[in-house]
Amino acid sequence: MSISGSRKDLFAEESQLLQEARLTLARVDLTDEQWHQEYKRMVEEYEKLLGEARTLTRIADRNQRRLDEMNAELERQNELLREKEEEAKKTQKAIVHNYQRITEEQTVIDKRVGRVQVALVVMIAVLTVVILFMLYYLIFAPERAIQLMEMIKASNK
């Protein structure tokens, strides 16, 4: 078999040999010696063909083993990817869950901070008013301030 032969017919030599053998079989005028020579040639060609077939079979078997090994490795890699994908999904779910929990906690904290801020603003406003009243009475009506202080002392007794 000619591997480097025509791309159209990889078995061109073998086809030619088969055609010649058919023509030889159709002939009736061959001597025993000619029949013997033709038969010998056919055996030799068959021997070459069988050797090439064995070689090709070994190559095909080796390639099949490689292909099987590669397919097995590919399957192992696919399984590993599936495992990694599952891990990634679990990690993603955990991250989303933690993010939601943190967001909820942040909302609660923001509400508390808001309430504390309002309370502080009210306290500062009240203290400012008290301080302003005290300053007013000390500066503009000190006798009234003294009366208020005495009232406060009296109510504590």
Side-chain angles (χ1 to χ4, degrees):
M1 174 173 34
S2 172
I3 294 179
S4 63
S6 169
R7 287 198 172 261
K8 292 181 181 177
D9 187 3
L10 293 176
F11 300 97
E13 289 179 28
E14 291 77 9
S15 296
Q16 178 67 30
L17 181 62
L18 181 60
Q19 185 65 24
E20 290 173 12
R22 285 188 176 139
L23 290 173
T24 301
L25 278 175
R27 292 180 61 187
V28 289
D29 62 339
L30 294 178
T31 65
D32 286 344
E33 180 60 29
Q34 289 172 324
W35 275 110
H36 180 72
Q37 286 299 323
E38 283 298 316
Y39 184 74
K40 181 180 176 188
R41 186 170 75 90
M42 291 288 292
V43 168
E44 289 169 355
E45 290 297 324
Y46 180 76
E47 184 178 18
K48 280 183 7 187
L49 181 61
L50 184 60
E52 289 176 355
R54 284 182 176 151
T55 300
L56 288 175
T57 302
R58 276 194 308 274
I59 292 170
D61 287 347
R62 189 173 352 149
N63 286 340
Q64 185 62 47
R65 277 192 306 277
R66 286 183 190 158
L67 182 61
D68 291 344
E69 290 169 0
M70 290 168 65
N71 281 334
E73 179 62 23
L74 185 60
E75 188 57 39
R76 282 190 297 272
Q77 293 295 327
N78 281 337
E79 183 60 31
L80 184 61
L81 280 174
R82 281 190 287 275
E83 290 171 5
K84 294 292 182 185
E85 179 184 25
E86 285 300 315
E87 273 182 44
K89 284 180 181 178
K90 288 177 184 176
T91 302
Q92 181 185 20
K93 284 181 182 177
I95 289 171
V96 167
H97 175 73
N98 285 336
Y99 176 77
Q100 289 171 340
R101 183 181 51 80
I102 289 170
T103 302
E104 290 169 2
E105 289 174 1
Q106 184 65 40
T107 302
V108 169
I109 289 171
D110 288 345
K111 286 179 182 178
R112 286 181 185 164
V113 167
R115 286 192 298 256
V116 168
Q117 286 174 339
V118 168
L120 284 174
V121 167
V122 169
M123 283 178 37
I124 290 171
V126 168
L127 283 174
T128 303
V129 168
V130 169
I131 290 172
L132 287 175
F133 271 113
M134 287 175 65
L135 286 174
Y136 172 78
Y137 282 116
L138 285 174
I139 295 171
F140 297 109
E143 60 280 346
R144 179 78 175 129
I146 293 172
Q147 286 175 356
L148 285 173
M149 294 297 271
E150 288 174 359
M151 284 177 33
I152 292 173
K153 279 185 188 178
S155 66
N156 283 337
K157 289 184 181 180

